[in-house]
Amino acid sequence: VLPPLDFAVFDGGFVHLGTAARNEALTRIARTVKPGGILLLGYHALPGFAAMMPLRDVLNSVTATQTDVPITRLRAALDWLAMADHSTIGFLSDHPGLRRRLNNYADIPEDIAATELFSPTLTPFHFAQVNASAAAHGFTFAGNAALHLNMLDLAVPSAVRAILKRARSRIEFETLRDVLRNPCYRIDVYVRGAAIKNATTFWQQHDSLLVGLTHDADRVDFGGTIADLSGFPFEALREALANGPRRVSDIPDLGPEIARDTVRSALAAEIIAPFAREATQTPSPQGDAIRVPLSINRALLADALNHPKDVPLVSPLTGTAWPIDPAVALVLSAITETGCGFAEAEATVQTRLLSIANGRGQTPEGQAALTALVRRGLDGLTPECLATWARLGIVTGG
């Protein structure tokens, strides 16, 4: 039995359940999440995923003889799609968004891709359907997990903003935006109980938020909308947070209204993040003196080879995970665990990998691949990255 939770995640499974099972799952979650707690709900969305449904039927047919080996079946399906795309089959050319979705399968774990393409129980939903189900179990929609999608100027390209401005409610706003952006997948945030109902309470909570620097980008792409974050007021925000996180109400050189708007845009761009507690700025590691204080992060670094994509490192200050390239993780692990330093990192990591591979990397081709991997990791371990990770408490000096 789970204890009362402040935060719950129901990601993906929602669309694989029948009506009774979905209601049972939401009932169980509602009993477990505290009043005022958060539910993160992810699901395949309409209309974006609609074109995938007939294509899934086709792929189930053309791979029907390979159902015993899911990964082999997936690869056969992707080969068929590549051939179909090369042959300019009308269904794919008529749905360019679908082709972009299919391209993503090369970047996600094969078991997830296979489930999405072949699961007989997958049923996508419109936002309004999911919202009604959540509301029936005492949850109130609070917004999309991608912060910029909640902001009119960033939610859609400028050419269609006039359509979105016609929305008379938040439910209509979400419905219109899904038509305009055509997403295949949504991740929404729900609150158990009533949402904030007045501006005064909202701004009190907003202004008490503790924020700190993370990434340092001047231009950010919000799904086709490019925002310039150089100059005023973003430079003033960076300077105010240079020595550590601050409350929004305590940001100097910006008036309250400008500070609010700047923080919201910077949060959406992920150049700042909410921090769990106040902390002074941690100096960037100098030279070879790097430590990873959290044991969970050291374990994740040591297991980098088993991650199909990026390695998530935990920030104790933001309570979130920050992905790094597995090659960078291998080098960082070698430097922090052995104290070998940057100069000896290449040889140390290669020795480690050769021992894991039982000598299979000792061929000229294998050695070249190892060398390329390690050098990629060294190139990615930049002073800028170390500075960011130091601000997040992921690394410290020696």
Side-chain angles (χ1 to χ4, degrees):
V1 178
L2 290 173
L5 301 177
D6 294 307
F7 190 88
V9 178
F10 192 10
D11 189 15
F14 188 85
V15 298
H16 296 283
L17 300 176
T19 301
R22 278 198 306 276
N23 286 332
E24 182 182 347
L26 287 173
T27 298
R28 189 165 62 250
I29 293 170
R31 289 172 179 164
T32 306
V33 174
K34 298 176 183 177
I38 300 296
L39 168 62
L40 199 66
L41 185 57
Y43 57 96
H44 295 80
L46 295 173
F49 202 76
M52 278 297 303
M53 300 308 285
L55 186 61
R56 277 163 37 93
D57 294 339
V58 172
L59 295 177
N60 271 282
S61 296
V62 300
T63 63
T65 61
Q66 296 169 311
T67 56
D68 293 337
V69 187
I71 300 306
T72 301
R73 188 181 192 190
L74 171 64
R75 291 169 182 166
L78 296 179
D79 288 343
W80 187 91
L81 287 169
M83 180 182 66
D85 196 30
H86 182 72
S87 303
T88 62
I89 287 179
F91 186 79
L92 290 177
S93 60
D94 289 344
H95 296 85
L98 177 60
R99 184 65 253 177
R100 291 192 295 271
R101 178 69 178 176
L102 296 173
N103 288 339
N104 291 335
Y105 288 124
D107 298 323
I108 64 177
E110 290 180 329
D111 58 336
I112 295 177
T115 298
E116 187 166 293
L117 289 179
F118 301 120
S119 170
T121 58
L122 193 157
T123 303
F125 293 100
H126 289 286
F127 163 75
Q129 294 173 296
V130 176
N131 181 67
S133 294
H137 291 81
F139 288 99
T140 302
F141 177 71
N144 196 287
L147 185 56
H148 71 278
L149 294 180
N150 303 290
M151 304 168 68
L152 178 61
D153 290 345
L154 299 175
V156 293
S158 58
V160 293
R161 284 178 197 154
I163 298 175
L164 199 55
K165 286 181 179 179
R166 297 176 184 175
R168 294 162 295 181
S169 69
R170 184 58 192 269
I171 306 305
E172 185 178 345
F173 179 95
E174 295 297 318
T175 302
L176 287 175
R177 193 192 61 215
D178 280 356
V179 172
L180 296 173
R181 291 185 65 96
N182 208 34
C184 288
Y185 200 85
R186 286 185 61 115
I187 302 179
D188 293 331
V189 179
Y190 285 86
V191 177
R192 189 185 162 214
I196 296 173
K197 294 183 177 180
N198 61 76
T200 300
T201 303
F202 174 83
W203 289 119
Q204 284 176 345
Q205 293 191 12
H206 180 277
D207 292 347
S208 65
L209 192 65
L210 189 68
V211 295
L213 289 174
T214 54
H215 303 297
D216 190 14
D218 287 335
R219 292 174 63 81
V220 177
D221 184 354
F222 292 102
T225 300
I226 305 297
D228 186 350
L229 305 183
S230 62
F232 185 84
F234 296 101
E235 282 304 317
L237 178 64
R238 290 185 177 95
E239 291 176 7
L241 301 179
N243 292 320
R246 286 176 176 266
R247 305 284 174 188
V248 176
S249 58
D250 189 34
I251 295 175
D253 301 325
L254 294 175
E257 294 300 322
I258 295 177
R260 289 171 173 175
D261 288 342
T262 306
V263 165
R264 292 177 70 225
S265 297
L267 285 168
E270 298 182 350
I271 65 171
I272 66 173
F275 275 57
R277 62 178 184 271
E278 296 184 23
T280 58
Q281 178 65 46
T282 302
S284 299
Q286 301 295 319
D288 296 331
I290 306 174
R291 291 182 59 252
V292 176
L294 291 186
S295 58
I296 186 174
N297 283 340
R298 295 195 296 272
L300 288 166
L301 289 172
D303 196 42
L305 286 175
N306 292 322
H307 287 267
K309 294 181 66 178
D310 291 337
V311 178
L313 297 185
V314 179
S315 165
L317 298 181
T318 65
T320 53
W322 294 82
I324 72 170
D325 184 285
V328 177
L330 288 169
V331 174
L332 182 60
S333 179
I335 292 175
T336 56
E337 294 296 330
T338 69
C340 64
F342 283 87
E344 300 173 11
E346 182 173 332
T348 301
V349 174
Q350 289 201 37
T351 300
R352 280 184 164 193
L353 293 180
L354 285 172
S355 66
I356 294 173
N358 293 321
R360 284 174 292 178
Q362 291 180 349
T363 65
E365 296 79 8
Q367 189 66 44
L370 282 178
T371 300
L373 177 71
V374 177
R375 288 179 180 172
R376 190 182 89 206
L378 283 167
D379 290 342
L381 199 60
T382 64
E384 292 77 17
C385 284
L386 290 172
T388 296
W389 299 337
R391 285 194 295 264
L392 297 169
I394 294 172
V395 301
T396 65

